[in-house]
Amino acid sequence: DLPIPLLPLSFALSPSPPKRCLNMPSDVPSKRKVDNIKEEEKKSENCEKIGEKKAKIDANGGGDRLELSRIGFGCWQLGCGGTEDYWGLEFTDELAKQLVNLSAENGIFYFDTAECYNDGKSESQLSRALESLDPKLKSKVVIGSKILPNHCDNVRKSLNATLDRLNIKSIDLYMVHWPITKKGMAHFASASGETKKGGLDYSKTNDQNIKSVPGVTKAFEQLMELQREGLIKHIGVSNFGVHQLKQALATGVKIAVNQICYNLIFRAPEFEVIPCCVENGIQVICYSVLGQGLLTGRYANVEEVPLYRARTRHFDSSINPKSRHGEKGHEELLFKTIEKLNTISKTSGIGMAQLALAFPLTTQGVRCVIAGATKDKQVISNAKAGLIKIPESVVVQLREATDELKEAMGGNIDAWQGMKEGVNTSRCF
């Protein structure tokens, strides 16, 4: 078994989108950049020039290192077709180009997508947006995409489709999106789990159509072969628990990253997964860092949270038809915790959203956090968060404020599936 290291005390024990079509946001500033960024950098001793503060990830396999900006641009919303889709908006090419350019201009060079994001439309729209970049900026771009476990019986086929949609010959980072198990596949297995317009209905899961599960060894052997051919530069995984990481590593693959859900109100990965990653040289990329809007201070109570954003194990599954985890949740404790975080934000002088984005970067092993955006001001706010160095005293306060919720949620790193009718449905173990 892989040893789990003892972590420093400060780490281990210390304390809905608008329902309209978005062709162009109304609050887009007239200038492409924010003029005062450089002035703020000079004034702050803790700031470094945007884009220069890089996280270098050792891919464990020798050769070139994978460089990721501390803040990544989440591309799930790209290719979104309207109010029926998950993000409830229309994401036009014009808007995508605007936000991708602004991101790169402000040092956000990692772009994270997946074959299943809007049925490949995210990859396609990202490609078109990147074509508009200045060549010097484009040379710094790092692209990560993911393959569904359902497609891991023929990795080459999925990879070729991704490369075609992205219009590239080789991908920087290619990740297995969820563990290669029946549970990991079930959510993506049935066409019955679609909305009226063909989008994925995130309340559905069905394993009846799964005839076979791809072999883990065979899947990673295919990934390694494609890496040797130069089609993949770095291999990664996403949402893998400790056992699943060990199983993958046993194939001889060199795993560059494990991309996981990790934020101030979901610290489950701290129990086992992040320590395992640290021990094995697997660096961590974090998604859902803003807790799908909960950590922006946008929602004052549970009634204000849209159904799709209230699907996590924080919320009572019995009263949400879009939820599938089957647990009672911790709603009262959740909003009590958010209130504490709001207070810390005010006393520290650091905005709530920027605190949430910067916090995971204080955790050993975390090298990049992913944040989505639909407006220019969100891109700028995200970029600034990558400059923030939270004082240690504030980090302690943040951990203390969220410890009770951390313990209540437990070590299951699957935020959307848990104990349902006495059966553990978590996809991550």
Side-chain angles (χ1 to χ4, degrees):
D1 287 346
L2 299 174
I4 303 298
L6 292 175
L7 297 179
L9 187 61
S10 61
F11 170 73
L13 297 176
S14 63
S16 181
K19 302 298 182 181
R20 60 184 176 89
C21 289
L22 261 182
N23 292 311
M24 185 70 75
S26 58
D27 56 354
V28 173
S30 58
K31 293 186 178 181
R32 301 291 307 158
K33 296 184 181 180
V34 173
D35 293 334
N36 64 357
I37 285 183
K38 291 185 178 180
E39 293 180 9
E40 291 180 7
E41 291 167 356
K42 293 178 182 178
K43 294 178 182 178
S44 174
E45 294 180 358
N46 293 325
C47 289
E48 299 179 28
K49 186 177 179 181
I50 299 179
E52 289 186 356
K53 194 168 186 181
K54 298 287 188 180
K56 292 190 176 181
I57 295 187
D58 187 346
N60 301 325
D64 296 335
R65 287 176 178 266
L66 175 64
E67 289 192 1
L68 300 179
S69 48
R70 285 163 62 88
I71 305 295
F73 184 91
C75 299
W76 187 358
Q77 71 278 29
L78 269 65
C80 192
T83 56
E84 275 285 322
D85 283 346
Y86 183 88
W87 293 100
L89 53 82
E90 180 184 2
F91 218 86
T92 66
D93 277 6
E94 186 178 10
L95 180 58
K97 290 176 182 178
Q98 174 183 311
L99 297 180
V100 166
N101 273 267
L102 188 59
S103 295
E105 288 166 3
N106 287 284
I108 297 176
F109 293 116
Y110 176 59
F111 293 87
D112 185 87
T113 185
E115 65 173 1
C116 71
Y117 290 170
N118 300 307
D119 195 26
K121 296 183 182 69
S122 171
E123 292 175 326
S124 298
Q125 192 171 73
L126 174 62
S127 174
R128 294 192 296 273
L130 289 173
E131 288 175 0
S132 66
L133 276 183
D134 176 273
K136 289 184 179 179
L137 291 176
K138 191 173 182 180
S139 68
K140 299 180 181 180
V141 165
V142 174
I143 300 174
S145 193
K146 312 175 196 75
I147 178 175
L148 289 177
N150 311 54
H151 298 160
C152 282
D153 57 341
N154 191 340
V155 178
R156 186 180 297 274
K157 179 179 179 180
S158 283
L159 175 63
N160 284 339
T162 283
L163 294 176
D164 286 345
R165 286 189 291 267
L166 287 168
N167 194 26
I168 54 178
K169 295 181 179 180
S170 176
I171 193 162
D172 300 301
L173 176 62
Y174 198 51
M175 296 164 278
V176 179
H177 205 153
W178 284 91
I180 309 172
T181 64
K182 200 168 187 179
K183 290 178 182 177
M185 296 166 62
H187 179 49
F188 308 97
S190 175
S192 64
E194 293 183 350
T195 63
K196 293 179 181 178
K197 291 190 177 182
L200 188 62
D201 185 343
Y202 286 85
S203 66
K204 303 290 181 63
T205 181
N206 188 346
D207 62 9
Q208 295 180 355
N209 291 346
I210 300 175
K211 296 180 180 179
S212 63
V213 177
V216 172
T217 298
K218 182 180 178 181
F220 281 98
E221 285 178 347
Q222 290 180 74
L223 286 164
M224 288 185 281
E225 175 63 25
L226 292 164
Q227 186 179 45
R228 287 191 290 270
E229 293 177 16
L231 299 178
I232 300 171
K233 295 178 183 177
H234 302 279
I235 297 169
V237 296
S238 182
N239 303 299
F240 273 42
V242 171
H243 172 77
Q244 292 151 340
L245 286 171
K246 291 180 181 181
Q247 191 179 28
L249 289 168
T251 68
V253 69
K254 306 301 181 182
I255 299 176
V257 303
N258 187 12
Q259 184 179 130
I260 55 176
C261 178
Y262 177 56
N263 58 53
L264 276 166
I265 54 174
F266 192 72
R267 292 171 56 197
E270 291 180 11
F271 286 99
E272 294 183 334
V273 173
I274 293 179
C276 180
C277 289
V278 170
E279 175 68 13
N280 289 281
I282 301 169
Q283 304 302 320
V284 176
I285 298 175
C286 304
Y287 69 84
S288 197
V289 184
L290 294 176
Q292 296 199 325
L294 287 166
L295 288 170
T296 64
R298 181 176 182 179
Y299 308 113
N301 53 61
V302 66
E303 287 76 20
E304 294 182 4
V305 183
L307 287 180
Y308 267 124
R309 297 192 178 212
R311 297 180 302 112
T312 60
R313 295 190 294 107
H314 300 88
F315 299 92
D316 186 349
S317 185
S318 66
I319 60 176
N320 185 350
K322 297 298 183 183
S323 176
R324 62 180 190 268
H325 59 75
E327 298 180 0
K328 296 297 292 182
H330 308 278
E331 293 174 359
E332 183 177 351
L333 177 57
L334 170 64
F335 283 92
K336 176 184 173 183
T337 302
I338 292 174
E339 186 176 351
K340 290 180 181 179
L341 294 174
N342 263 313
T343 299
I344 296 172
S345 171
K346 291 175 182 177
T347 57
S348 67
I350 303 174
M352 182 78 161
Q354 292 185 333
L355 260 185
L357 286 168
F359 168 78
L361 294 167
T362 69
T363 300
Q364 183 184 6
V366 174
R367 289 295 177 266
C368 177
V369 298
I370 298 169
T374 60
K375 299 177 181 179
D376 282 37
K377 65 181 182 180
Q378 293 169 340
V379 172
I380 296 299
S381 177
N382 295 345
K384 288 181 179 178
L387 303 174
I388 294 172
K389 184 175 182 180
I390 305 176
E392 182 59 33
S393 60
V394 177
V395 174
V396 171
Q397 291 177 46
L398 293 171
R399 293 191 181 279
E400 289 178 344
T402 56
D403 274 344
E404 185 179 359
L405 182 60
K406 171 188 173 180
E407 295 298 326
M409 295 290 291
N412 174 16
I413 69 165
D414 190 337
W416 295 272
Q417 293 185 197
M419 292 299 296
K420 187 173 185 178
E421 298 176 353
V423 177
N424 186 1
T425 66
S426 172
R427 295 161 289 181
C428 317
F429 57 89

